[in-house]
């Protein structure tokens, strides 16, 4: 993991553990350089990433300040590893429902730019929050990028495995959100009834070089709650 990413996560931990309030000032760049034994550019990169992820805001000449965080129980769907970061105060577990190598169908071909004979890891898992069904994830990974998955990885954190073990460098993500209805099988996993409404999220994850490597479809329980913190500047 790049040095700036390590600092990024450590500052997030500091914000959460100290329960820092909106407007509280972070240590100066010079202090952070000494604290994390890092150069100025590395610290600035970490701070810019924190600002993009809406954890802080920066005021030129004044420093970096904590942004007001979301309400408890709300999920930030735009954040990498959003479930664990947004719902850290809850008991989060995963149950693997299916793991196999498949050939891509037309949908996967289109979203991953895959070849027809290419091997794809298909993962289906149930995510639980405080032992209650929260979502069903159906993910397709290019095996050429993610060469190995097993039950332990699937039921812990695929994101941490990709970053820490495979040393992948995620770039950007495209999300598509809509309201749909549950089929009989998915309804049974979520303890709901067939035909009931559910929130459907399709996501395509790209590496820094622009290559898509993960196409996921997540079906959320109708009780799920979401938030988005914007990152916009209007300059005159």
């Amino acid at each position: 993991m790049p040095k700036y990413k390590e600092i990024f996560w450590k500052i997030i931990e500091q914000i959460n553990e100290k329960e820092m309030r909106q407007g509280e000032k972070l240590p100066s760049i010079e202090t952070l350089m000494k604290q994390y034994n890092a150069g100025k550019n590395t610290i600035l990169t970490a701070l810019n990433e924190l600002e993009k992820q809406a954890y802080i805001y920066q005021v030129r000449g004044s420093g970096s300040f904590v942004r007001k965080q979301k309400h408890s129980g709300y999920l930030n769907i735009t954040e990498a590893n959003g479930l664990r970061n947004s719902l850290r105060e809850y008991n989060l577990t995963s149950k693997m429902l299916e793991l196999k190598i498949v050939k891509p169908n037309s949908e996967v071909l289109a979203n991953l730019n895959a070849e027809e004979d290419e091997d794809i890891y298909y993962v289906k898992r149930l995510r639980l929050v405080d032992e209650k069904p929260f979502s069903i994830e159906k993910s397709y990974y290019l095996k050429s990028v993610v060469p190995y998955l097993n039950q332990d990885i699937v039921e812990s954190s695929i994101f941490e495995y990709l970053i820490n073990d495979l040393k992948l460098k995620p770039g950007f993500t495209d999300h598509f959100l809509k309201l749909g209805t549950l089929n009989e099988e998915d309804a049974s996993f979520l303890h709901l009834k067939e035909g009931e409404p559910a929130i459907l999220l399709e996501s395509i994850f790209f590496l820094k070089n622009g290559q898509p490597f993960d196409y996921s479809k997540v079906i959320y329980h109708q009780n799920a709650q979401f938030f988005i913190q914007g990152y916009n500047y209007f300059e005159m």
Side-chain angles (χ1 to χ4, degrees), residues 153-170:
I153 296 169
V154 170
E155 293 188 344
S156 53
S157 173
I158 296 178
F159 174 83
E160 292 180 2
Y161 167 70
L162 299 179
I163 300 299
N164 297 332
D165 296 327
L166 296 186
K167 308 299 182 184
L168 294 185
K169 297 181 179 180

Side-chain angles (χ1 to χ4, degrees), residues 47-61:
L47 292 175
N48 288 336
E49 190 69 19
L50 286 163
E51 187 170 36
K52 290 178 182 179
Q53 295 287 344
Y55 281 97
I56 67 170
Y57 60 95
Q58 301 182 73
V59 179
R60 184 173 298 177

Side-chain angles (χ1 to χ4, degrees), residues 97-152:
L97 303 175
E98 199 168 353
L99 173 63
K100 61 184 179 181
I101 296 175
V102 300
K103 298 300 180 183
N105 56 27
S106 59
E107 184 179 35
V108 176
L109 284 171
N111 286 292
L112 289 182
N113 296 337
E115 301 293 335
E116 291 185 356
D117 62 345
E118 193 164 357
D119 285 340
I120 305 290
Y121 263 118
Y122 171 68
V123 178
K124 182 177 180 179
R125 60 179 179 170
L126 178 66
R127 310 298 298 274
L128 301 104
V129 176
D130 287 345
E131 300 184 354
K132 295 180 181 179
F134 183 80
S135 64
I136 301 169
E137 293 181 4
K138 303 173 184 180
S139 300
Y140 300 85
Y141 297 92
L142 290 177
K143 194 172 185 294
S144 58
V145 178
V146 184
Y148 180 71
L149 288 171
N150 61 21
Q151 185 171 354
D152 287 340

Side-chain angles (χ1 to χ4, degrees), residues 16 22 26 35-36 46 56 62-63 84 87 102 104 112 122 124 129 133 144 149 153 182 184-185 198 214 228 232 234:
N16 293 329
Q22 180 181 6
L26 266 64
Q35 182 177 347
Y36 296 110
I56 67 170
S62 297
R84 290 186 179 274
L87 305 179
V102 300
L112 289 182
Y122 171 68
K124 182 177 180 179
V129 176
S144 58
L149 288 171
I153 296 169
L182 294 168
E184 182 179 5
E185 181 181 50
D214 170 15
I228 297 175
N232 296 305
F234 297 90

Side-chain angles (χ1 to χ4, degrees), residues 29-30 32-33 37-48:
I29 292 175
E30 291 74 18
L32 292 173
M33 289 169 61
N37 190 27
K40 184 175 182 179
N41 287 339
T42 300
I43 296 298
L44 289 175
T45 302
L47 292 175
N48 288 336

